[in-house]
Amino acid sequence: MFLKKILPLFSYLFHPIFIPIFGTLVYYYLSGINNSKELFSSLIIEVAIFTFILPLSFFYLLRSIGKVNTIMLSDISQRKIPLLFQILLLGILISKYVTWNLYPALFFFFLGAILSAFLAYILLFAKIKASIHLMAISALCYFVIGLNSHFELQNKLIIVLLFVLTGIIASSRIAMKAHSMKELAIGYVVGMLPQIILWGFWL
């Protein structure tokens, strides 16, 4: 009973809307880049605006006009517009701010996120609801694995923690009866594949 009450918290604490910021923070920590605090602050602000503030504002707009009813987007019909908006915002982010020449690894992380969002959008037409929670956390996992390889690090603890967290989030979604095991597995693969494919461009 205690676990059933605690598990849903992970769906909110690690909602997909937070994952881009987490990925940026991990990138900055693992890369060891010597950017000034001002540049780092600027990067975080840019990522937060395009992946958190604008999507959240757009969600409240959609909710106010009756297009969505929960930030979890549990209904298939409510997912199409937010996913397209996410693709648009991420496209602007990597074309103007997190560019290939400035932050190559982070650029491909967000490019992978665009591809994942597009795949999740296409699957909706087949009435397949991929878990966006698992899509986001698996993308982060394989991005961090790539960072460890790229920078020749031996920081295995963070990878282990991310895989454990993936299991907890999956359990959380099941406890909330938000997804079937199939939907969780599809979400995981949709998040993982673009990151692995894009390794070849920056590792």
Side-chain angles (χ1 to χ4, degrees):
M1 289 295 294
F2 177 73
L3 280 177
K4 287 185 177 180
K5 291 180 179 180
I6 293 296
L7 280 174
L9 290 176
F10 286 88
S11 286
Y12 292 94
L13 291 174
F14 295 95
H15 189 278
I17 204 169
F18 297 123
I19 299 301
I21 296 175
F22 292 158
T24 303
L25 292 171
V26 172
Y27 166 76
Y28 192 83
Y29 171 72
L30 292 181
S31 65
I33 55 178
N34 295 317
N35 281 353
S36 67
K37 290 183 178 180
E38 290 77 14
L39 285 174
F40 175 62
S41 298
S42 177
L43 173 63
I44 286 294
I45 290 171
E46 290 159 359
V47 170
I49 288 172
F50 282 91
T51 66
F52 179 76
I53 297 173
L54 289 178
L56 195 61
S57 301
F58 188 61
F59 162 75
Y60 283 113
L61 172 63
L62 290 177
R63 193 172 73 168
S64 70
I65 61 177
K67 293 295 184 179
V68 300
N69 54 21
T70 170
I71 199 167
M72 294 300 177
L73 301 175
S74 54
D75 193 288
I76 285 181
S77 64
Q78 297 179 2
R79 293 183 163 213
K80 291 180 181 178
I81 295 175
L83 280 171
L84 286 176
F85 190 62
Q86 180 188 14
I87 292 169
L88 173 64
L89 291 178
L90 288 174
I92 296 172
L93 180 65
I94 64 172
S95 64
K96 299 290 186 181
Y97 303 103
V98 185
T99 58
W100 180 83
N101 59 312
L102 289 176
Y103 308 101
L106 202 56
F107 170 88
F108 283 109
F109 172 56
F110 288 127
L111 179 58
I114 291 174
L115 296 175
S116 293
F118 181 72
L119 288 172
Y121 175 76
I122 293 299
L123 287 172
L124 293 176
F125 291 94
K127 306 298 182 183
I128 298 174
K129 186 177 73 170
S131 170
I132 298 177
H133 277 76
L134 266 289
M135 184 177 81
I137 194 64
S138 69
L140 180 60
C141 282
Y142 287 90
F143 173 58
V144 172
I145 291 172
L147 286 177
N148 268 267
S149 176
H150 181 67
F151 294 111
E152 298 181 349
L153 303 174
Q154 297 298 321
N155 198 334
K156 296 179 181 179
L157 178 60
I158 190 171
I159 296 174
V160 172
L161 289 174
L162 282 171
F163 276 112
V164 171
L165 183 60
T166 300
I168 294 173
I169 293 172
S171 299
S172 172
R173 304 307 288 153
I174 291 173
M176 295 178 72
K177 298 180 180 179
H179 288 289
S180 65
M181 288 296 293
K182 179 182 177 181
E183 291 168 344
L184 292 172
I186 291 172
Y188 187 89
V189 172
V190 167
M192 172 188 69
L193 276 182
Q195 296 297 324
I196 291 178
I197 290 170
L198 291 174
W199 278 352
F201 293 94
W202 64 277
L203 288 191

